[in-house]
Amino acid sequence: METKKAHILGLGGSLRRPSRTRRALEVALQAAAEAGAETRLLDLRTLKLPLYDDRPDPQTYPEDVFRLVEEVRWADGLLLATPVYHGTLSGSMKNALDFLELLADDDPPWLGGRVVGLIAVAGGSAGTNAINSMLFTCRTLHAWVVPTAVVVPGGAFQDDELRDPKVEERLKRLGREVARAAAVLAPLYKGG
Ligand SMILES: Cc1cc2nc3c(=O)[nH]c(=O)nc-3n(C[C@H](O)[C@H](O)[C@H](O)COP(=O)(O)O)c2cc1C
């Protein structure tokens, strides 16, 4: 089967520094790069996104909104990593996903044709609901969500550094899976 060098964008949904979510995302992105992908990390902390308000003229949104939109347009696949906030994804991640409405008139629209891998970083150990919430949103955005998803429990970290080899391996598996699936799928949507 024909393959290309997939573009994989990591989107980190915590505004905290240092961010455990960002650390987990970096591990998965590194594995995607080792599997042959070209990777970029977009940290929502570096963007000044307003709250999405479904305004009549989206062109009036600030420049950072279009930075997000253009990075997603560049991507064949995404790794979405959220901290678990009150049992679900962070507001900043959901807000960023709402801005993908600006891709509604693209061909394919929204996240159509893009592979997505999901990561939730919890303080405790329960993050499945955050994964499922992102899954529902991504499905509505027409993404191809891969079967592997990773919940990173708080106990996997020491001093904000990831210290659990099993969790690390799972994150790497996710990164590879997204890179490989995106390499196969992208030519079907974007051409060779
Ligand atoms: C407002 C808020 C709500 C949180 N809610 C939960 C929760 O419901 N379950 C949980 O396991 N951890 C919860 N946490 C802990 C975070 O998920 C955890 O600290 C996470 O690792 C933070 O990631 P970060 O370092 O990338 O910001 C919460 C933290 C904050 C700040």
Side-chain angles (χ1 to χ4, degrees):
M1 190 170 296
E2 191 182 0
T3 57
K4 65 166 271 207
K5 196 173 174 91
H7 293 172
I8 306 299
L9 177 68
L11 209 55
S14 171
L15 308 186
R16 189 174 85 90
R17 269 300 160 272
S19 165
R20 294 177 169 196
T21 306
R22 185 185 164 119
R23 283 298 304 127
L25 179 59
E26 284 168 346
V27 171
L29 262 186
Q30 177 63 32
E34 285 165 12
E38 187 179 334
T39 61
R40 291 183 186 172
L41 194 156
L42 184 57
D43 198 331
L44 291 180
R45 193 174 190 262
T46 66
L47 297 180
K48 289 203 170 16
L49 295 181
L51 284 176
Y52 179 76
D53 58 12
D54 194 21
R55 62 185 63 178
D57 182 5
Q59 292 306 319
T60 61
Y61 280 123
E63 200 178 311
D64 278 1
V65 167
F66 298 97
R67 226 186 109 203
L68 170 69
V69 165
E70 288 312 317
E71 289 293 307
V72 173
R73 280 200 176 113
W74 169 84
D76 303 310
L78 292 99
L79 285 158
L80 302 180
T82 185
V84 177
Y85 277 5
H86 304 135
T88 187
L89 70 164
S90 67
S92 52
M93 175 60 86
K94 181 59 166 60
N95 188 48
L97 293 174
D98 287 341
F99 272 109
L100 302 188
E101 183 60 18
L102 272 61
L103 298 168
D105 293 329
D106 282 22
D107 180 21
W110 303 292
L111 291 179
R114 292 179 179 86
V115 173
V116 171
L118 302 174
I119 301 166
V121 180
S125 57
T128 308
N129 196 49
I131 294 285
N132 286 340
S133 298
M134 288 197 290
L135 174 65
F136 292 142
T137 301
C138 288
R139 196 183 287 157
T140 307
L141 289 167
H142 292 200
W144 293 82
V145 183
V146 299
T148 299
V150 185
V151 174
V152 182
F157 290 92
Q158 283 168 21
D159 300 327
D160 291 319
E161 286 301 322
L162 192 54
R163 301 284 185 212
D164 185 323
K166 282 190 179 155
V167 172
E168 206 169 323
E169 188 42 49
R170 201 168 163 82
L171 286 164
K172 289 179 181 174
R173 175 144 55 92
L174 177 68
R176 290 193 293 269
E177 202 169 303
V178 168
R180 288 172 184 159
V184 172
L185 210 58
L188 302 178
Y189 286 89
K190 289 188 174 172

